[in-house]
Amino acid sequence: MSDRPIILGIVGDSAAGKTTLTRGIAQVLGPENVTVICTDDYHRYDRKQRAEIGLTALHPDCNYLDIMQQHLSLLRTGQAILKPIYNHHSGTFDPPEYIKPSKFVIVEGLLGYSTRTIRDSYDVKVYLAPPEELRTQWKVKRDIMKRGYTEEQVLAEMEKREPDSEDYIRPQRKFADVVVSFYPESDQESNLNVRLVLRPTIPHPDFTEILGRGSDSFKPAIRLGLDRDMGKPVDVLEVDSHANSDQVSELEKILCSELPHLQGFCAAQGNPEIGKLIGTTGEVLQSYPLALTQLLVAYHMMKAIHVY
């Protein structure tokens, strides 16, 4: 059994859904047991300096990867760090924050898998890969509502960042244990399906029961199959937004059979703490695909205490 913090990495491009995914995972693990670290705080330059030298925040040279690496190594051994704080509103840095790791540490950001030493700090690694069209919608909405930009400014910045996204962000996908791709079922942004690439780098729950029962109740809303991702064989679990509570409940039972603690967070039983999604008009929606993804990642975090 591990007596050190269990560390989860969540990496993806800007507005890929990292914070939304993290929120539900923390609820399952218990907010009092979770420390959340944002690696985007390790920018080397502020917004004005980046503009002057022509670097985007996505470029490794624009970030203190060595300090990030050092801090993750300290957190892994249970030691505190003095973490920098990047203020996304002002584009400058706030005073650093003293952080002592909790039982679980969730590390989210753009460049979280950039070096071998950083990658070795995690027990579980997740990469978020929504379709670029959907990520663009999310980023425009977020940056207008929360950061005061115009749509034209957001789109121009995304175009400027695209070469660095291609060179430095997306290649990190190959290091993930789980690749999460939310995608719209229709033209309604809030009706999201999810495709989960499950690599054999960590032991996943036995989802073959979904296929072994010979029931049509899981088709086509929940599917398990084999595929290749970045040239390597993987299992793929897909959950559609129209999956009903009975179908979702059966999948949740597989996760909860080993970890009874998870039973209290089953979305099919109406738990409101996970699967929360903000709709296009600001309303809070409940998403089964999101809830199941959060539950699966929390499962791996809890199993890591005993297994990894």
Coordinates of all heavy atoms in Angstrom, one line a residue, residues 118-201:
I118 N 9.3 14.1 -15.6 CA 7.9 14.6 -15.2 C 6.9 13.5 -15.4 O 6.1 13.2 -14.5 CB 7.5 15.8 -16.1 CG1 8.4 17.0 -15.7 CG2 6.0 16.1 -16.0 CD1 8.1 18.2 -16.6
R119 N 7.0 12.7 -16.5 CA 6.0 11.6 -16.7 C 6.1 10.6 -15.6 O 5.1 10.0 -15.2 CB 6.2 11.0 -18.1 CG 5.9 12.0 -19.2 CD 5.9 11.2 -20.6 NE 7.1 10.7 -21.0 CZ 8.1 11.3 -21.7 NH1 7.9 12.6 -22.0 NH2 9.2 10.7 -22.1
D120 N 7.3 10.3 -15.2 CA 7.5 9.3 -14.2 C 7.0 9.7 -12.8 O 6.9 8.8 -11.9 CB 9.0 8.9 -14.1 CG 9.6 8.1 -15.2 OD1 8.7 7.6 -16.0 OD2 10.8 8.1 -15.4
S121 N 6.6 10.9 -12.7 CA 6.1 11.4 -11.4 C 4.6 11.0 -11.2 O 4.1 11.0 -10.1 CB 6.2 12.9 -11.3 OG 7.5 13.3 -11.3
Y122 N 3.9 10.6 -12.3 CA 2.5 10.3 -12.2 C 2.2 8.8 -12.0 O 3.0 7.9 -12.5 CB 1.8 10.7 -13.5 CG 2.0 12.1 -13.9 CD1 2.8 12.5 -15.0 CD2 1.4 13.2 -13.2 CE1 3.0 13.8 -15.3 CE2 1.6 14.5 -13.5 CZ 2.4 14.8 -14.6 OH 2.5 16.1 -15.0
D123 N 1.1 8.5 -11.3 CA 0.6 7.1 -11.2 C -0.3 6.8 -12.3 O -0.4 5.7 -12.7 CB 0.0 6.9 -9.8 CG 0.9 7.1 -8.7 OD1 1.7 6.2 -8.4 OD2 0.9 8.2 -8.0
V124 N -1.1 7.8 -12.7 CA -2.1 7.7 -13.8 C -2.0 8.9 -14.7 O -1.9 10.0 -14.2 CB -3.5 7.6 -13.2 CG1 -4.5 7.4 -14.3 CG2 -3.6 6.5 -12.1
K125 N -2.0 8.7 -16.0 CA -1.9 9.8 -16.9 C -3.1 9.8 -17.9 O -3.4 8.7 -18.5 CB -0.6 9.6 -17.7 CG 0.7 9.7 -16.9 CD 2.0 9.7 -17.7 CE 2.2 8.4 -18.4 NZ 2.6 7.3 -17.4
V126 N -3.7 10.9 -18.0 CA -4.9 11.1 -18.8 C -4.6 12.2 -19.9 O -4.0 13.2 -19.5 CB -6.1 11.5 -18.0 CG1 -7.3 11.8 -18.9 CG2 -6.5 10.4 -17.1
Y127 N -5.0 12.0 -21.1 CA -4.9 13.0 -22.1 C -6.3 13.3 -22.7 O -7.0 12.4 -23.0 CB -4.0 12.6 -23.2 CG -3.8 13.7 -24.3 CD1 -2.8 14.7 -24.1 CD2 -4.5 13.7 -25.4 CE1 -2.7 15.7 -25.0 CE2 -4.4 14.7 -26.4 CZ -3.5 15.7 -26.2 OH -3.3 16.8 -27.1
L128 N -6.6 14.6 -22.8 CA -7.9 15.0 -23.3 C -7.8 15.5 -24.7 O -6.9 16.3 -25.1 CB -8.5 16.2 -22.5 CG -9.1 15.8 -21.1 CD1 -9.4 17.1 -20.3 CD2 -10.4 15.1 -21.4
A129 N -8.6 14.8 -25.6 CA -8.4 15.1 -27.1 C -9.8 15.3 -27.7 O -10.2 14.4 -28.5 CB -7.7 13.9 -27.7
P130 N -10.5 16.4 -27.4 CA -11.8 16.6 -28.1 C -11.5 17.0 -29.5 O -10.4 17.5 -29.9 CB -12.4 17.8 -27.3 CG -11.2 18.5 -26.8 CD -10.2 17.5 -26.5
P131 N -12.5 16.9 -30.4 CA -12.3 17.4 -31.8 C -12.0 18.9 -31.7 O -12.5 19.6 -30.9 CB -13.7 17.1 -32.5 CG -14.3 16.1 -31.6 CD -13.8 16.3 -30.2
E132 N -11.1 19.3 -32.7 CA -10.7 20.7 -32.6 C -11.8 21.7 -32.8 O -11.8 22.8 -32.2 CB -9.6 20.9 -33.7 CG -8.2 20.4 -33.3 CD -7.7 21.1 -32.1 OE1 -7.4 22.3 -32.2 OE2 -7.6 20.5 -31.1
E133 N -12.8 21.3 -33.6 CA -14.0 22.2 -33.7 C -14.7 22.4 -32.4 O -15.1 23.5 -32.1 CB -15.0 21.6 -34.8 CG -16.2 22.5 -35.0 CD -17.1 21.9 -36.1 OE1 -16.7 20.9 -36.7 OE2 -18.2 22.5 -36.2
L134 N -14.8 21.3 -31.6 CA -15.5 21.5 -30.3 C -14.6 22.2 -29.3 O -15.1 23.1 -28.6 CB -15.8 20.1 -29.8 CG -16.5 20.0 -28.4 CD1 -17.8 20.7 -28.4 CD2 -16.6 18.6 -27.9
R135 N -13.3 22.0 -29.3 CA -12.4 22.7 -28.4 C -12.4 24.2 -28.8 O -12.4 25.0 -27.9 CB -11.0 22.2 -28.6 CG -10.0 22.8 -27.5 CD -8.6 22.2 -27.7 NE -7.9 22.6 -28.8 CZ -7.2 23.7 -28.9 NH1 -7.1 24.6 -27.8 NH2 -6.6 24.1 -30.0
T136 N -12.5 24.5 -30.0 CA -12.6 25.9 -30.4 C -13.9 26.6 -29.8 O -13.8 27.7 -29.3 CB -12.6 26.1 -32.0 OG1 -11.4 25.6 -32.5 CG2 -12.8 27.5 -32.4
Q137 N -15.0 25.9 -29.9 CA -16.2 26.4 -29.3 C -16.1 26.6 -27.8 O -16.5 27.7 -27.3 CB -17.4 25.4 -29.6 CG -17.8 25.3 -31.0 CD -18.8 24.2 -31.2 OE1 -19.5 23.8 -30.3 NE2 -19.0 23.7 -32.5
W138 N -15.5 25.6 -27.2 CA -15.3 25.8 -25.7 C -14.4 26.9 -25.4 O -14.6 27.7 -24.4 CB -14.7 24.5 -25.2 CG -15.7 23.3 -25.1 CD1 -17.0 23.4 -25.2 CD2 -15.4 22.0 -24.9 NE1 -17.6 22.1 -25.1 CE2 -16.6 21.2 -24.9 CE3 -14.2 21.3 -24.7 CZ2 -16.6 19.9 -24.7 CZ3 -14.2 19.9 -24.5 CH2 -15.4 19.2 -24.5
K139 N -13.3 27.1 -26.1 CA -12.3 28.1 -25.8 C -12.9 29.5 -26.1 O -12.7 30.4 -25.3 CB -11.0 27.9 -26.6 CG -9.9 29.0 -26.2 CD -8.6 28.6 -26.7 CE -7.5 29.6 -26.4 NZ -7.4 29.9 -25.0
V140 N -13.6 29.7 -27.2 CA -14.2 31.0 -27.4 C -15.2 31.3 -26.3 O -15.2 32.5 -25.8 CB -15.0 30.9 -28.8 CG1 -15.9 32.1 -29.0 CG2 -13.9 30.8 -30.0
K141 N -16.1 30.4 -25.9 CA -17.0 30.7 -24.9 C -16.4 31.0 -23.6 O -16.7 32.0 -22.9 CB -18.0 29.5 -24.7 CG -19.1 29.7 -23.7 CD -20.1 28.6 -23.7 CE -19.6 27.3 -23.2 NZ -20.6 26.3 -23.0
R142 N -15.3 30.2 -23.2 CA -14.7 30.4 -21.9 C -13.9 31.8 -21.9 O -14.0 32.5 -20.9 CB -13.7 29.3 -21.6 CG -13.0 29.4 -20.3 CD -11.8 28.6 -20.2 NE -10.7 29.1 -21.0 CZ -9.5 28.5 -21.2 NH1 -9.3 27.3 -20.6 NH2 -8.6 29.0 -22.0
D143 N -13.2 32.0 -23.0 CA -12.3 33.2 -22.9 C -13.1 34.5 -23.1 O -12.7 35.6 -22.6 CB -11.3 33.2 -24.1 CG -10.2 32.2 -23.7 OD1 -10.3 31.5 -22.7 OD2 -9.2 32.1 -24.5
I144 N -14.3 34.4 -23.7 CA -15.2 35.6 -23.7 C -15.8 35.8 -22.4 O -15.9 36.9 -21.8 CB -16.3 35.4 -24.8 CG1 -15.7 35.5 -26.2 CG2 -17.4 36.5 -24.6 CD1 -16.7 35.2 -27.3
M145 N -16.4 34.7 -21.8 CA -17.1 34.8 -20.5 C -16.2 35.1 -19.3 O -16.5 35.9 -18.4 CB -17.9 33.6 -20.2 CG -19.0 33.3 -21.2 SD -19.9 31.8 -20.9 CE -20.5 32.0 -19.3
K146 N -15.0 34.4 -19.3 CA -14.2 34.5 -18.1 C -13.0 35.4 -18.2 O -12.4 35.8 -17.2 CB -13.8 33.1 -17.7 CG -14.9 32.2 -17.3 CD -14.4 30.8 -16.8 CE -15.6 30.0 -16.3 NZ -15.1 28.7 -15.8
R147 N -12.5 35.7 -19.4 CA -11.3 36.4 -19.5 C -11.4 37.7 -20.3 O -10.4 38.4 -20.6 CB -10.2 35.5 -20.2 CG -9.9 34.2 -19.3 CD -8.9 33.3 -19.8 NE -8.7 32.2 -18.9 CZ -7.9 31.1 -19.2 NH1 -7.2 31.1 -20.3 NH2 -7.8 30.2 -18.3
G148 N -12.6 38.0 -20.8 CA -12.9 39.3 -21.4 C -12.4 39.5 -22.8 O -12.3 40.7 -23.2
Y149 N -12.2 38.4 -23.5 CA -11.7 38.6 -24.9 C -12.9 38.7 -25.9 O -14.0 38.2 -25.5 CB -10.8 37.4 -25.3 CG -9.5 37.4 -24.6 CD1 -9.3 36.4 -23.6 CD2 -8.5 38.2 -24.9 CE1 -8.0 36.4 -22.9 CE2 -7.2 38.2 -24.3 CZ -7.0 37.3 -23.3 OH -5.8 37.2 -22.6
T150 N -12.7 39.1 -27.0 CA -13.7 39.1 -28.1 C -13.5 37.7 -28.9 O -12.4 37.1 -28.8 CB -13.5 40.2 -29.1 OG1 -12.3 40.1 -29.8 CG2 -13.6 41.6 -28.4
E151 N -14.4 37.3 -29.6 CA -14.3 36.1 -30.4 C -13.2 36.2 -31.4 O -12.4 35.3 -31.6 CB -15.6 35.8 -31.1 CG -15.6 34.5 -32.0 CD -16.9 34.2 -32.6 OE1 -17.9 34.9 -32.3 OE2 -16.9 33.2 -33.4
E152 N -13.0 37.4 -32.0 CA -11.9 37.6 -33.0 C -10.6 37.4 -32.3 O -9.6 36.9 -32.9 CB -12.1 39.0 -33.6 CG -13.3 39.2 -34.5 CD -14.6 39.3 -33.8 OE1 -14.5 39.6 -32.6 OE2 -15.6 39.1 -34.4
Q153 N -10.4 38.0 -31.1 CA -9.1 37.8 -30.4 C -8.8 36.4 -30.1 O -7.7 35.9 -30.2 CB -9.2 38.7 -29.1 CG -9.1 40.2 -29.3 CD -9.3 40.9 -28.0 OE1 -10.2 40.6 -27.2 NE2 -8.6 42.0 -27.9
V154 N -9.8 35.6 -29.6 CA -9.6 34.2 -29.3 C -9.2 33.4 -30.5 O -8.2 32.7 -30.5 CB -10.9 33.6 -28.7 CG1 -10.7 32.2 -28.3 CG2 -11.3 34.4 -27.4
L155 N -9.9 33.6 -31.6 CA -9.6 32.9 -32.8 C -8.2 33.2 -33.4 O -7.5 32.3 -33.9 CB -10.7 33.1 -33.9 CG -12.1 32.6 -33.5 CD1 -13.1 33.0 -34.6 CD2 -12.1 31.1 -33.3
A156 N -7.9 34.5 -33.3 CA -6.5 34.9 -33.8 C -5.4 34.3 -32.9 O -4.4 33.8 -33.4 CB -6.4 36.4 -33.7
E157 N -5.7 34.2 -31.6 CA -4.7 33.6 -30.7 C -4.5 32.1 -31.0 O -3.4 31.6 -31.0 CB -5.1 33.9 -29.3 CG -4.1 33.3 -28.2 CD -2.7 34.0 -28.3 OE1 -2.6 35.1 -28.8 OE2 -1.8 33.4 -27.7
M158 N -5.7 31.5 -31.2 CA -5.6 30.0 -31.5 C -4.9 29.7 -32.8 O -4.1 28.8 -32.9 CB -7.0 29.5 -31.6 CG -7.8 29.4 -30.3 SD -9.4 28.5 -30.4 CE -8.8 26.8 -30.5
E159 N -5.0 30.6 -33.8 CA -4.3 30.4 -35.0 C -2.8 30.6 -34.8 O -2.0 29.8 -35.4 CB -4.8 31.4 -36.1 CG -4.2 31.3 -37.4 CD -4.7 32.2 -38.5 OE1 -5.6 33.1 -38.1 OE2 -4.3 32.2 -39.6
K160 N -2.4 31.5 -34.0 CA -1.0 31.8 -33.7 C -0.4 30.6 -32.9 O 0.7 30.2 -33.1 CB -0.9 33.1 -32.9 CG 0.6 33.4 -32.6 CD 0.7 34.8 -32.1 CE 0.1 34.9 -30.7 NZ 0.4 36.3 -30.0
R161 N -1.3 30.0 -32.1 CA -0.8 28.9 -31.3 C -0.8 27.5 -32.0 O -0.1 26.6 -31.5 CB -1.7 28.7 -30.0 CG -1.5 29.8 -29.0 CD -2.4 29.5 -27.8 NE -2.2 30.5 -26.7 CZ -2.4 30.2 -25.4 NH1 -3.0 29.0 -25.1 NH2 -2.2 31.1 -24.5
E162 N -1.4 27.4 -33.1 CA -1.6 26.1 -33.7 C -0.3 25.4 -34.0 O -0.2 24.2 -33.8 CB -2.4 26.3 -35.0 CG -2.6 25.0 -35.9 CD -3.1 23.8 -35.1 OE1 -3.9 24.1 -34.1 OE2 -2.8 22.7 -35.5
P163 N 0.7 26.0 -34.6 CA 2.0 25.3 -34.8 C 2.5 24.6 -33.5 O 3.0 23.5 -33.5 CB 2.9 26.3 -35.4 CG 2.0 27.3 -36.0 CD 0.8 27.4 -35.1
D164 N 2.5 25.4 -32.4 CA 3.0 24.8 -31.1 C 2.1 23.7 -30.6 O 2.5 22.8 -30.0 CB 3.1 25.9 -30.1 CG 4.3 26.8 -30.4 OD1 5.2 26.4 -31.2 OD2 4.4 27.9 -29.8
S165 N 0.7 23.8 -30.8 CA -0.2 22.8 -30.5 C 0.2 21.5 -31.2 O 0.3 20.4 -30.6 CB -1.6 23.1 -30.8 OG -2.1 24.1 -29.9
E166 N 0.5 21.6 -32.5 CA 0.8 20.5 -33.3 C 2.2 19.9 -32.9 O 2.3 18.6 -32.9 CB 0.9 20.9 -34.8 CG 1.2 19.8 -35.7 CD 0.1 18.7 -35.9 OE1 -1.1 19.1 -35.6 OE2 0.4 17.6 -36.2
D167 N 3.1 20.7 -32.5 CA 4.5 20.2 -32.2 C 4.7 19.8 -30.8 O 5.5 18.8 -30.6 CB 5.5 21.4 -32.5 CG 5.6 21.7 -34.0 OD1 5.2 20.8 -34.8 OD2 6.2 22.7 -34.3
Y168 N 4.0 20.4 -29.9 CA 4.3 20.1 -28.5 C 3.2 19.6 -27.6 O 3.4 18.9 -26.6 CB 4.8 21.4 -27.8 CG 6.0 22.0 -28.5 CD1 5.9 23.2 -29.2 CD2 7.2 21.3 -28.6 CE1 7.0 23.8 -29.8 CE2 8.3 21.8 -29.3 CZ 8.2 23.1 -29.9 OH 9.3 23.6 -30.6
I169 N 1.9 19.9 -27.9 CA 0.8 19.5 -27.1 C 0.3 18.1 -27.5 O 0.3 17.2 -26.7 CB -0.3 20.5 -27.1 CG1 0.2 21.9 -26.7 CG2 -1.4 20.1 -26.1 CD1 0.9 22.0 -25.4
R170 N -0.1 18.0 -28.8 CA -0.8 16.8 -29.2 C 0.1 15.5 -29.2 O -0.4 14.4 -28.9 CB -1.3 17.0 -30.6 CG -2.5 17.9 -30.7 CD -3.0 18.2 -32.1 NE -3.7 19.5 -32.1 CZ -3.6 20.4 -33.0 NH1 -2.9 20.1 -34.1 NH2 -4.3 21.5 -33.0
P171 N 1.5 15.7 -29.4 CA 2.3 14.5 -29.3 C 2.3 13.8 -27.9 O 2.7 12.7 -27.8 CB 3.7 15.0 -29.7 CG 3.4 16.2 -30.6 CD 2.2 16.8 -30.0
Q172 N 1.9 14.6 -26.9 CA 1.9 14.0 -25.5 C 0.8 13.0 -25.4 O 0.8 12.2 -24.4 CB 1.7 15.2 -24.5 CG 2.8 16.2 -24.4 CD 2.4 17.3 -23.5 OE1 2.9 17.3 -22.3 NE2 1.6 18.3 -23.9
R173 N -0.1 12.9 -26.3 CA -1.1 11.9 -26.3 C -0.6 10.5 -26.1 O -1.1 9.6 -25.4 CB -2.0 12.0 -27.6 CG -3.0 10.9 -27.7 CD -3.7 11.0 -29.1 NE -4.7 10.0 -29.3 CZ -6.0 10.2 -29.6 NH1 -6.4 11.4 -29.8 NH2 -6.8 9.2 -29.8
K174 N 0.6 10.2 -26.7 CA 1.1 8.9 -26.7 C 1.6 8.4 -25.3 O 1.8 7.2 -25.1 CB 2.3 8.7 -27.7 CG 3.5 9.6 -27.4 CD 4.6 9.3 -28.4 CE 5.8 10.3 -28.3 NZ 5.5 11.6 -28.7
F175 N 1.7 9.3 -24.4 CA 2.2 8.9 -23.1 C 1.1 8.6 -22.1 O 1.3 8.2 -21.0 CB 3.1 10.1 -22.5 CG 4.3 10.4 -23.3 CD1 4.4 11.7 -23.9 CD2 5.2 9.5 -23.6 CE1 5.5 12.0 -24.6 CE2 6.4 9.8 -24.3 CZ 6.5 11.0 -24.9
A176 N -0.2 8.8 -22.5 CA -1.3 8.7 -21.6 C -1.7 7.3 -21.4 O -1.7 6.5 -22.4 CB -2.5 9.5 -22.1
D177 N -2.2 6.9 -20.2 CA -2.8 5.6 -20.0 C -4.3 5.6 -20.5 O -4.8 4.6 -20.9 CB -2.8 5.3 -18.5 CG -1.5 5.4 -17.9 OD1 -0.6 4.7 -18.4 OD2 -1.3 6.1 -16.9
V178 N -4.9 6.8 -20.4 CA -6.3 6.9 -20.9 C -6.4 8.2 -21.7 O -6.0 9.2 -21.3 CB -7.3 7.0 -19.7 CG1 -8.7 7.2 -20.2 CG2 -7.2 5.8 -18.8
V179 N -6.9 8.0 -23.0 CA -7.2 9.2 -23.8 C -8.7 9.4 -23.9 O -9.4 8.5 -24.2 CB -6.6 8.9 -25.2 CG1 -7.0 10.2 -26.1 CG2 -5.1 8.7 -25.2
V180 N -9.1 10.6 -23.5 CA -10.5 10.9 -23.4 C -10.9 11.9 -24.5 O -10.3 13.0 -24.6 CB -10.8 11.6 -22.0 CG1 -12.3 12.0 -21.9 CG2 -10.4 10.7 -20.9
S181 N -11.9 11.5 -25.3 CA -12.3 12.3 -26.4 C -13.9 12.5 -26.3 O -14.6 11.6 -26.6 CB -12.0 11.7 -27.8 OG -10.6 11.6 -27.9
F182 N -14.3 13.6 -25.8 CA -15.7 14.0 -25.8 C -16.0 14.5 -27.2 O -15.2 15.3 -27.8 CB -16.0 15.0 -24.8 CG -15.9 14.5 -23.4 CD1 -14.8 14.9 -22.6 CD2 -16.9 13.7 -22.8 CE1 -14.7 14.4 -21.3 CE2 -16.7 13.2 -21.5 CZ -15.7 13.5 -20.8
Y183 N -17.2 14.2 -27.8 CA -17.6 14.7 -29.1 C -19.1 14.8 -29.1 O -19.8 14.0 -28.5 CB -17.0 13.8 -30.2 CG -17.5 12.3 -30.2 CD1 -18.6 11.9 -30.9 CD2 -16.9 11.4 -29.4 CE1 -19.1 10.6 -30.9 CE2 -17.3 10.1 -29.3 CZ -18.4 9.7 -30.1 OH -18.9 8.4 -30.1
P184 N -19.6 15.7 -29.8 CA -21.0 16.0 -29.9 C -21.8 14.9 -30.6 O -21.3 14.4 -31.6 CB -21.2 17.3 -30.6 CG -20.0 17.4 -31.4 CD -18.9 16.7 -30.6
E185 N -22.9 14.5 -30.0 CA -23.8 13.5 -30.7 C -24.5 14.1 -31.9 O -24.8 13.5 -32.8 CB -24.8 12.9 -29.7 CG -25.7 11.9 -30.2 CD -26.6 11.3 -29.2 OE1 -26.1 10.3 -28.5 OE2 -27.7 11.7 -29.0
S186 N -24.8 15.4 -31.7 CA -25.5 16.1 -32.8 C -25.0 17.5 -32.9 O -23.8 17.7 -32.4 CB -27.0 16.1 -32.5 OG -27.3 16.8 -31.3
D187 N -25.7 18.5 -33.3 CA -25.3 19.8 -33.4 C -25.4 20.5 -32.0 O -25.1 21.7 -31.9 CB -26.0 20.6 -34.5 CG -27.5 20.6 -34.3 OD1 -28.0 19.9 -33.4 OD2 -28.2 21.3 -35.1
Q188 N -25.9 19.8 -31.0 CA -26.1 20.4 -29.7 C -24.8 20.1 -28.9 O -24.5 19.0 -28.6 CB -27.3 19.8 -29.0 CG -28.6 20.1 -29.7 CD -29.8 19.6 -28.9 OE1 -29.7 19.5 -27.7 NE2 -30.9 19.3 -29.6
E189 N -24.2 21.2 -28.5 CA -22.9 21.1 -27.9 C -22.9 20.3 -26.6 O -22.0 19.7 -26.1 CB -22.3 22.5 -27.6 CG -21.0 22.6 -26.9 CD -20.7 24.0 -26.5 OE1 -21.2 24.9 -27.2 OE2 -19.9 24.2 -25.6
S190 N -24.1 20.4 -25.9 CA -24.2 19.8 -24.5 C -24.4 18.3 -24.6 O -24.3 17.6 -23.6 CB -25.3 20.5 -23.7 OG -26.5 20.4 -24.4
N191 N -24.8 17.7 -25.7 CA -25.1 16.3 -25.9 C -23.8 15.6 -26.3 O -23.5 15.4 -27.5 CB -26.2 16.0 -26.9 CG -27.5 16.4 -26.4 OD1 -27.7 16.6 -25.2 ND2 -28.5 16.6 -27.3
L192 N -22.9 15.3 -25.3 CA -21.6 14.8 -25.6 C -21.5 13.3 -25.4 O -21.9 12.8 -24.3 CB -20.6 15.5 -24.7 CG -20.4 17.0 -24.9 CD1 -19.3 17.5 -24.0 CD2 -20.0 17.3 -26.4
N193 N -21.0 12.6 -26.4 CA -20.6 11.2 -26.3 C -19.1 11.2 -25.8 O -18.4 12.3 -25.8 CB -20.6 10.5 -27.6 CG -22.0 10.6 -28.3 OD1 -23.0 10.7 -27.6 ND2 -22.0 10.4 -29.6
V194 N -18.6 10.1 -25.4 CA -17.2 10.0 -25.0 C -16.6 8.7 -25.6 O -17.2 7.7 -25.6 CB -17.0 10.0 -23.5 CG1 -17.5 8.8 -22.8 CG2 -15.5 10.3 -23.2
R195 N -15.4 8.9 -26.1 CA -14.6 7.7 -26.5 C -13.3 7.6 -25.7 O -12.5 8.6 -25.6 CB -14.2 7.9 -28.0 CG -13.4 6.8 -28.6 CD -13.1 7.0 -30.1 NE -12.6 5.9 -30.8 CZ -11.4 5.5 -30.9 NH1 -10.4 6.3 -30.4 NH2 -11.0 4.4 -31.6
L196 N -13.2 6.5 -25.0 CA -12.1 6.3 -24.0 C -11.1 5.3 -24.6 O -11.5 4.1 -24.7 CB -12.6 5.9 -22.7 CG -13.6 6.8 -22.0 CD1 -14.2 6.1 -20.8 CD2 -12.9 8.1 -21.6
V197 N -9.9 5.7 -24.9 CA -8.9 4.8 -25.3 C -8.2 4.3 -24.0 O -7.6 5.1 -23.3 CB -7.9 5.6 -26.2 CG1 -6.6 4.7 -26.5 CG2 -8.5 5.9 -27.5
L198 N -8.2 3.0 -23.8 CA -7.6 2.4 -22.6 C -6.4 1.6 -23.0 O -6.4 0.6 -23.6 CB -8.7 1.5 -22.0 CG -10.1 2.1 -21.7 CD1 -11.0 1.0 -21.2 CD2 -10.0 3.3 -20.8
R199 N -5.2 2.2 -22.7 CA -4.0 1.6 -23.0 C -3.6 0.5 -22.0 O -3.9 0.7 -20.8 CB -2.8 2.6 -23.1 CG -3.0 3.5 -24.3 CD -1.7 4.0 -24.9 NE -1.9 4.8 -26.1 CZ -1.9 6.1 -26.1 NH1 -1.8 6.8 -25.0 NH2 -2.1 6.8 -27.2
P200 N -2.9 -0.5 -22.3 CA -2.5 -1.6 -21.4 C -1.4 -1.2 -20.5 O -0.7 -2.1 -19.9 CB -2.1 -2.7 -22.3 CG -1.6 -2.1 -23.5 CD -2.5 -0.9 -23.7
T201 N -1.1 0.1 -20.3 CA 0.0 0.5 -19.4 C -0.4 0.5 -18.0 O 0.5 0.6 -17.1 CB 0.4 2.0 -19.8 OG1 -0.8 2.8 -20.0 CG2 1.2 2.0 -21.2

